[in-house]
Amino acid sequence: MTSRAEAADMPHDGETKTPDRLRRRASRLLSGMTTQSDRLINEGLARVDARKWHYAVLASLQEHGPGSQATLSRRTGIYRSDMVGVLNELAERGLVARAPDPDDRRRNVITITAQGRRHLRRLDKVLDDLHDELLAPLTPAERDQFVQLLIRLLDHHTQQAPNGE
């Protein structure tokens, strides 16, 4: 026979109660938020016929200027093998242009076009709205603090050892 206290902790109508020790684990919380964030961002960008890699490449080109495929891969974290497809999609839409590198004719230099800059501004607005939705429970000050803490954590865990060691 189940007591009332035990019954209160049992799932009702398919819901589950997550153990507190799991809810207190930062790694689990970050993983859960990553899942929610990816779903929200991917679905939101798909509604405007874009992908997060499109945004990453356009933002990199806008902020850092033209670059080779390898440079863009390093800047964005997109695998080199996937970069070709992303650049093909962006070039077909007139958002980036490829031109032979004057210093090395075997590679291309990728630049953002005027149309690409306009598209990037539209994607900025879409992502701003999606991030507002994702971070809705937080105040503006909490959002800023949350982002700064995430940057600090990510920077700490992705720093290269001195001299490539």
Side-chain angles (χ1 to χ4, degrees), residues 46-106:
R47 285 192 296 270
V48 295
D49 196 27
R51 296 187 304 136
K52 61 184 173 183
W53 296 130
H54 294 167
Y55 182 80
V57 169
L58 294 173
S60 175
L61 291 170
Q62 177 68 26
E63 187 169 328
H64 298 292
S68 69
Q69 196 172 294
T71 298
L72 287 170
S73 179
R74 284 190 302 275
R75 286 181 191 165
T76 61
I78 301 171
Y79 291 116
R80 284 186 185 192
S81 58
D82 295 332
M83 183 60 76
V84 173
V86 172
L87 292 175
N88 286 343
E89 290 171 6
L90 293 171
E92 287 169 9
R93 297 173 185 196
L95 304 175
V96 299
R98 290 180 172 125
D101 184 335
D103 298 327
D104 185 349
R105 301 300 252 181
R106 294 170 296 172

Side-chain angles (χ1 to χ4, degrees), residues 23-40:
R23 286 187 53 83
R24 289 190 311 256
R25 297 287 176 200
S27 58
R28 182 174 171 93
L29 295 169
L30 288 169
S31 179
M33 281 306 302
T34 297
T35 300
Q36 295 300 318
S37 176
D38 282 348
R39 180 192 54 76
L40 182 71

Side-chain angles (χ1 to χ4, degrees), residues 2-162:
T2 306
S3 72
R4 285 182 191 231
E6 290 171 331
D9 285 339
M10 293 179 69
H12 299 286
D13 299 320
E15 67 181 83
T16 58
K17 185 166 177 136
T18 303
D20 284 342
R21 68 174 14 118
L22 292 178
R23 286 187 53 83
R24 289 190 311 256
R25 297 287 176 200
S27 58
R28 182 174 171 93
L29 295 169
L30 288 169
S31 179
M33 281 306 302
T34 297
T35 300
Q36 295 300 318
S37 176
D38 282 348
R39 180 192 54 76
L40 182 71
I41 299 304
N42 289 333
E43 289 174 4
L45 287 174
R47 285 192 296 270
V48 295
D49 196 27
R51 296 187 304 136
K52 61 184 173 183
W53 296 130
H54 294 167
Y55 182 80
V57 169
L58 294 173
S60 175
L61 291 170
Q62 177 68 26
E63 187 169 328
H64 298 292
S68 69
Q69 196 172 294
T71 298
L72 287 170
S73 179
R74 284 190 302 275
R75 286 181 191 165
T76 61
I78 301 171
Y79 291 116
R80 284 186 185 192
S81 58
D82 295 332
M83 183 60 76
V84 173
V86 172
L87 292 175
N88 286 343
E89 290 171 6
L90 293 171
E92 287 169 9
R93 297 173 185 196
L95 304 175
V96 299
R98 290 180 172 125
D101 184 335
D103 298 327
D104 185 349
R105 301 300 252 181
R106 294 170 296 172
R107 69 179 182 189
N108 288 317
V109 173
I110 315 302
T111 57
I112 189 170
T113 64
Q115 185 176 342
R117 285 189 292 278
R118 286 189 301 275
H119 188 65
L120 179 60
R121 285 191 298 272
R122 285 191 298 274
L123 293 180
D124 278 334
K125 175 66 174 123
V126 168
L127 286 171
D128 287 347
D129 292 344
L130 292 169
H131 285 127
D132 284 346
E133 184 178 338
L134 180 69
L135 302 175
L138 304 179
T139 66
E142 288 170 330
R143 291 175 189 195
D144 290 343
Q145 182 182 22
F146 180 66
V147 169
Q148 290 306 312
L149 291 170
L150 288 173
I151 289 169
R152 194 162 123 203
L153 286 167
L154 189 59
D155 285 352
H156 171 81
H157 289 288
T158 58
Q159 285 179 348
Q160 295 286 334

